[in-house]
Amino acid sequence: MILPRYHVAASAIPGAGKGLFLDEPVAAGRVLTAPDGIDRTFRHAEIAASPALSAQWHTSARWFEDRYTLSPDWPDECYINHSFAPNGLWHLGFVFALADLPAGTELTVDYRHLLPPGQSEDFADSVTGEIITGLPWHESLASTTQALARLLAATDADRDV
């Protein structure tokens, strides 16, 4: 579920196709997307062992450990594009605003948190040219947990002023 008003349009990221854009400003630390309608997760091995499921790898997102969802219906959340300097933080299926985001902002996250460990996208980052490769689960979880804690501490400090 996407919480702020938004629209899908041509991405400003070269080669990205479509992107998801905010129609209203969002404050740093606010939830942009939250999981809903997730009826099943699959172990990596289940997907790899099934030709029907493995044909849907391009629709997958890692939720936790070695569990993935497949979204062949391509919900609008799938239009959030990759960046190594994202404005959204993917953490356990939620996306948080990493800064105050004005209306018109195209949402991005770091895809390394959504991919299986060691699996690379079939495209490179459009800004750096760097290959996008999935992080190990513990590294991903630790880094997003630390980033979320810093973000929430900073936004709490701003609210106290």
Side-chain angles (χ1 to χ4, degrees):
M1 128 181 35
I2 304 168
L3 299 173
R5 290 187 322 272
Y6 72 94
H7 67 279
V8 173
S11 176
I13 300 169
K18 293 182 180 180
L20 193 143
F21 294 83
L22 295 174
D23 287 342
E24 61 185 273
V26 176
R30 297 299 308 268
V31 174
L32 297 165
T33 69
D36 72 335
I38 306 298
D39 64 345
R40 172 121 194 245
T41 62
F42 300 89
R43 290 194 177 277
H44 185 274
E46 284 179 86
I47 298 170
S50 166
L53 295 177
S54 61
Q56 298 177 42
W57 257 123
H58 67 285
T59 73
S60 71
R62 177 173 58 192
W63 287 86
F64 62 94
E65 297 176 348
D66 77 332
R67 297 291 189 141
Y68 300 81
T69 56
L70 300 172
S71 301
D73 58 336
W74 204 258
D76 286 351
E77 289 90 339
C78 293
Y79 292 108
I80 298 175
N81 285 312
H82 165 78
S83 174
F84 283 126
N87 53 32
L89 172 66
W90 172 276
H91 180 72
L92 296 173
F94 290 85
V95 176
F96 295 83
L98 281 169
D100 290 338
L101 303 175
T105 299
E106 180 175 0
L107 296 182
T108 58
V109 296
D110 185 339
Y111 281 7
R112 295 177 298 173
H113 299 291
L114 287 82
L115 294 169
Q119 179 179 314
S120 296
E121 285 286 10
D122 58 357
F123 57 89
D125 179 76
S126 66
V127 173
T128 67
E130 188 178 336
I131 300 299
I132 305 161
T133 303
L135 298 171
W137 166 247
H138 285 91
E139 181 180 340
S140 173
L141 181 61
S143 68
T144 63
T145 300
Q146 291 166 0
L148 182 58
R150 286 190 305 271
L151 175 64
L152 295 178
T155 58
D156 284 346
D158 289 344
R159 288 189 188 113
D160 292 341
V161 174

